[in-house]
Amino acid sequence: MAKKTVVLKITPKKIELNKIKKAAEIIKKGGIVAFPTETVYGLGANALNAKAVLKIFRAKKRPADNPIIVHVYNKEDIYRLAKHVPKEAEKLISKFWPGPLTLLLKKSKIVPYTTTGGLDTVCIRMPSHAIAQALIKESKTPIAAPSANLAGRPSPTTAEHVLEDLNGKIDAIIDGGRTKVGLESTVLDLTSEVPTVLRPGGVSLEELENVLGAVKLHRVAKAEYEIESAVALSPGMKYRHYAPKAKMILVEGSKEKIIKKTQQLAEEYSDKKVGVLSFSGYEYKVAITKFLGKDLKEAARKLFTTLREFDIENVDMIIAEGCDTKGIGLAIMNRLRKACGYNIIRV
Ligand code: TXA
Ligand code: MG
């Protein structure tokens, strides 16, 4: 049903409490509000109100078995939401919260199965964005929030992206400008014997290893190949993600070979409008090249915006250069591999 989406513009540096309170009122009444976090925009509802959370699934067209992350304002809330909090969780929380690290734990009774997609586990994170924190605080409840995009589309890093996908389908959005990290939080499973990364994100594998010692990287976190749904530990893993409208190919390998292959592909498809997503900075002939930046943190920030730009410019084919998988590079490659639907050329 179409409704008017209220837009509340707030500068993160000077938070207007009256606007936050307006948004919090909507959450308290069981409505849904999009808001910025340090990673991407989230679409929030009272995490403990199943009826409210259901509205998120409907607005996003999200499959009901894909669980939603619960966002908290107090670190201590984890003890209410999780049945058991292991030592590792406490170590990680003191080091990385607030920030882009999501912990997967056994859920307590107060978390509805609607929020967890029917699972006995719950994903919890404490965002560091001042607007997100203020909204959770004023709502006086943990907030369930997936990325505020239509299911399958690139995650939103600006309020404009959210409105592109969800205008008229959500009660309100807080426009707090561009998000800082640009891709989502790291999802770490602490219910397995060895802590296991299910989704690489804002906190790198190396940073986690520094705190925990051994950390496993689930093969869906690498996303090198498409996985069968039977082994999809995190239900979200089995759905197409981050996909632009254009057809997309990812080229992986050494830098020189990537450039050579990308140029060759651009020429092959020269009868089409070709866009290249570049880390190398090489100027391709017969293609619109968008340089993400050699610094991978900067590249991460621009990644989803750039994919959406190609859509707006009606590019028919996107060729993406692969990047190094160190640090945040692992998360970038995970998103690119999924965005292209595993249409990968390895050179
Ligand atoms: O940075 C982020 O994490 C953003 C911002 C808004 O906080 N949120 C986000 O949510 O990316 P979403 O729903 O787009 O992605 C959450 C991922 C999904 O792949 C989902 O399947 C997984 O986390 N997940 C959530 N709860 C889970 C659970 N109980 N067990 C396994 N996977 C879970
Ligand atoms: Mg998402």
Side-chain angles (χ1 to χ4, degrees), residues 259-329:
I259 291 173
K260 203 169 150 210
K261 188 71 192 176
T262 303
Q263 179 60 43
Q264 188 194 326
L265 286 169
E267 279 163 24
E268 231 170 81
Y269 291 102
S270 60
D271 57 325
K272 292 201 168 85
K273 192 165 176 186
V274 177
V276 172
L277 202 66
S278 163
F279 297 93
S280 68
Y282 184 84
E283 278 295 329
Y284 292 98
K285 297 181 195 88
V286 295
I288 305 162
T289 307
K290 292 192 190 271
F291 182 44
L292 289 180
K294 283 192 176 134
D295 169 39
L296 290 184
K297 283 212 163 133
E298 185 196 331
R301 206 172 298 137
K302 288 194 202 154
L303 180 66
F304 289 137
T305 300
T306 309
L307 288 176
R308 281 179 184 259
E309 275 170 21
F310 278 134
D311 277 347
I312 290 165
E313 291 164 28
N314 282 315
V315 162
D316 306 299
M317 164 78 84
I318 300 168
I319 307 168
E321 295 180 344
C323 72
D324 195 356
T325 55
K326 282 201 198 82
I328 195 136

Side-chain angles (χ1 to χ4, degrees), residues 3 23-33 43-46 49 52-53 55-56 170-172:
K3 55 178 144 192
E25 240 2 86
I26 297 172
I27 298 275
K28 282 188 203 162
K29 286 194 182 126
I32 50 176
V33 177
L43 177 59
N46 178 351
N49 176 344
V53 173
K55 292 182 188 167
I56 297 179
I170 60 179
D171 297 303

Side-chain angles (χ1 to χ4, degrees), residues 40 60 62 66 146-156 184 199 241-242:
V40 300
K60 273 186 63 105
R62 184 179 178 98
N66 193 359
S147 49
N149 51 281
L150 279 177
R153 298 266 298 139
S155 299
E184 303 87 340
R199 177 179 75 182
H241 268 106
Y242 316 116

